[in-house]
Amino acid sequence: MPTARRTLGIRTALAAATLLLASACGGTSPGGAGTGSSIPGGTGSGAARTLTVFAAASLRQTFTRLGADYERAHPGVTVTFSFAGSSDLVAQLEQGAPADVLATADERTMTKALGARLLGAEPRAFATNTLTIVTPPDNPRRITRLADLARDGVAVVVCAPPVPCGAATERVERSAGVTLKPVSEEQSVTDVLGKVRAGQADAGLVYTTDARAAGSAVDVIPLPEASAAVNTYPIAVTATAGGADAQAFVDLVTGPQGRAVLAQAGFQQP
């Protein structure tokens, strides 16, 4: 009988230990199912960590919102962003800048990152965007079409050719048979928009999403020729990404919640 009691005691202790271990591990594994959360990999608790995202300047509004959503669903995670021209972001990665996720405003730039072995997974397309014309409020130069931007005395700003919005501008010009003579070529679409808003230019070519976000700060002129230059936005985990958060953020952007946020900002689906 003493032996039976000892055996029973050992079994009871093992069962209790197993229960405690399961309780301690529940809901803390990276990428585990969240409780009451629609965010991919949502979890109730976790160790403090940082997720660094490099994203095209035109994604500032949408990604900032999605980053806040991700943090709420992943306690302990801080999402930090670097927004800039896509070509600048890839150059920073090539120089060793740390980042977990890269999102660019065109496939050409992402292909360059892939060729340089900067990515840890195949890129996934998640949105498309097109250009439009913006002018200061009340459109003082009476711009009505792309050809008006080539008139003498009209100060136009565009993105530099290496930047995705600049490459799109060149394609629009070729398609329409219009040659622009910009007074400046900027490194990001937000810089173009900023100069128009500040009254430093009569007009500029920016993404439709940036024009929408600017609201009454600019007038928007339709640009039918933009259909010849649709930019597709890809996203990917970088080669130096640490942990499961990078892939979970990519899943958020490419999933239903990300698509809804992007659509509200004027992005189209690829």
Side-chain angles (χ1 to χ4, degrees), residues 106-179:
D106 72 346
E107 294 175 302
R108 181 188 68 172
T109 311
M110 185 65 80
T111 298
K112 180 180 178 181
L114 184 63
R117 299 183 179 180
L118 300 174
L119 306 181
E122 285 292 321
R124 294 162 63 180
F126 66 93
T128 63
N129 214 347
T130 54
L131 296 175
T132 193
I133 302 170
V134 292
T135 72
D138 299 326
N139 190 6
R141 300 290 292 186
R142 297 296 179 262
I143 305 296
T144 62
R145 55 182 182 149
L146 180 66
D148 291 341
L149 303 186
R151 294 193 322 235
D152 290 341
V154 175
V156 181
V157 289
V158 299
C159 292
V163 183
C165 56
T169 297
E170 289 187 327
R171 296 200 302 273
V172 167
E173 290 181 74
R174 288 195 298 269
S175 175
V178 174
T179 300

Side-chain angles (χ1 to χ4, degrees), residues 57-58 159 163 165 187-194 205-207 210:
S58 52
C159 292
V163 183
C165 56
Q187 293 303 310
S188 74
V189 68
T190 51
D191 291 338
V192 174
L193 184 63
L205 288 175
V206 303
Y207 291 123
D210 291 274

Side-chain angles (χ1 to χ4, degrees), residues 38 40 70 80 103 161 177 200 236:
S38 62
Y70 191 89
T80 63
Q200 298 176 13

